[in-house]
Amino acid sequence: MMRVAILISGSGSNMVRLIESMTGAHPARPVLVLSDRPGAGGLARAAALGVRAEAVDRAAFADRAAFEAALEAALAPAAPDLIALAGFMRILSAGFVARHAGRIVNIHPSLLPAYPGLATHARALAAGDAWAGCTVHEVTADLDAGPILGQGRVPVMPGDTAESLGARVLAMEHRLYPAVLRRLAEGERGRIDL
Ligand code: GRF
């Protein structure tokens, strides 16, 4: 059974979909949800789903090294095989990534390599793109640049705003992330396209 820790910063809608997918014959189980923000709405949602949920408050630490040491201390008892970032708004250091090499994945709201970083939907609209989407990738020391495990594509519609496009992409994220997680738990690293 693959043990999965999920890291969040916000409402955690992707986290909820991941947790809900890991039931029955699924070869993975959620063991821990961590947030860098104590006020993240996702913490209560995780707890309501019966998953241990804790905050490691970034604001309580002087620097990233101290924060990551606390993150490691919170993760260690859960002994995760996989760390799934789901709206986790912190950049992990090269050292942290190296300690968990090949065992951290992230979901990003663009068709990488297009639009790493923030404001992805506004940038896709400004560029006049016909398609947008989301990517699940392995996390490496380079931001939003690790090997791609899956992508989900949605059309850009006439009159779209960043909000309307973002909602369409988020619905695709909710399909893609559980699909990629399941494949990983089954030992498959082949890319999925939705
Ligand atoms: C998603 O769009 C994800 O791709 C991005 O942050 C958002 C998190 O949403 N990294 P949620 O917290 O899962 O609802």
Side-chain angles (χ1 to χ4, degrees):
M1 192 64 76
M2 176 184 261
R3 301 171 63 82
V4 181
I6 306 171
L7 271 52
I8 63 168
S9 297
S11 68
S13 70
N14 277 289
M15 171 212 74
V16 167
R17 296 309 184 101
L18 291 177
I19 290 173
E20 287 175 344
S21 75
M22 288 183 264
T23 58
H26 196 295
R29 286 294 182 272
V31 293
L32 179 65
V33 170
L34 289 180
S35 170
D36 65 309
R37 294 178 186 158
L43 285 172
R45 298 173 86 180
L49 289 165
V51 180
R52 182 180 181 93
E54 295 172 20
V56 178
D57 185 358
R58 174 64 182 88
F61 299 94
D63 55 25
R64 183 166 69 176
F67 168 65
E68 287 189 347
L71 213 51
E72 295 280 19
L75 283 166
D81 302 301
L82 186 77
I83 299 172
L85 311 184
F88 183 67
M89 300 301 287
R90 297 283 165 192
I91 296 174
L92 295 167
S93 69
F96 187 99
V97 171
R99 280 193 299 280
H100 303 278
R103 295 190 293 116
I104 312 178
V105 296
N106 179 46
I107 188 156
H108 181 76
S110 78
L111 296 171
L112 291 171
Y115 315 124
L118 299 174
T120 53
H121 308 307
R123 288 151 72 199
L125 290 174
D129 293 352
W131 294 89
C134 50
T135 303
V136 177
H137 64 94
E138 211 176 281
V139 172
T140 61
D142 299 316
L143 181 67
D144 298 332
I148 290 176
L149 301 169
Q151 284 192 323
R153 186 173 287 268
V154 301
V156 177
M157 302 293 209
D160 258 342
T161 61
E163 289 67 34
S164 65
L165 178 57
R168 194 174 308 119
V169 171
L170 188 62
M172 177 55 81
E173 293 182 41
H174 294 163
R175 291 176 51 204
L176 180 70
Y177 213 173
V180 172
L181 174 68
R182 175 142 202 156
R183 290 278 295 269
L184 285 175
E186 288 168 347
E188 280 275 340
R189 288 216 163 217
R191 173 186 167 129
I192 297 174
D193 285 280
L194 298 180

